[in-house]
Amino acid sequence: MKNNVRNERVAQKLTQDELAKKIGVSRQTINAMETNKYIPSTVLALKVALLLNKKVEELFILEEDD
């Protein structure tokens, strides 16, 4: 799975720390998500999408090998 979280976060002028605090996770979780080292739960993916005003499928994209 790849994602566009970093691009959307930067476009909305949010730091990783600000995004993390708004959705109740650590900055490290955001970093791991953005670098594809961590696949978020459905609840967390929905929170990120809601905060960034995007649909989940706009942020998280399945790849052929998923």
Side-chain angles (χ1 to χ4, degrees), residues 35-58:
T35 56
N36 294 316
K37 294 178 182 168
Y38 169 71
I39 297 174
S41 68
T42 304
V43 171
L44 183 53
L46 287 167
K47 285 181 176 181
V48 173
L50 182 64
L51 189 85
L52 296 176
N53 296 315
K54 295 290 177 183
K55 294 180 180 176
V56 171
E57 60 268 26
E58 292 177 307

Side-chain angles (χ1 to χ4, degrees), residues 3-66:
N3 71 75
N4 295 320
V5 173
R6 183 182 188 286
N7 291 340
E8 294 301 329
R9 175 183 58 75
V10 170
Q12 296 190 27
K13 303 185 185 327
L14 290 170
T15 66
Q16 288 183 342
D17 192 52
E18 290 168 334
L19 177 59
K21 286 178 179 168
K22 288 178 184 266
I23 59 174
V25 298
S26 69
R27 185 199 57 77
Q28 289 82 3
T29 297
I30 300 300
N31 183 60
M33 191 184 324
E34 289 182 354
T35 56
N36 294 316
K37 294 178 182 168
Y38 169 71
I39 297 174
S41 68
T42 304
V43 171
L44 183 53
L46 287 167
K47 285 181 176 181
V48 173
L50 182 64
L51 189 85
L52 296 176
N53 296 315
K54 295 290 177 183
K55 294 180 180 176
V56 171
E57 60 268 26
E58 292 177 307
L59 292 178
F60 301 95
I61 299 105
L62 285 175
E63 297 182 296
E64 268 191 49
D65 60 338
D66 287 331

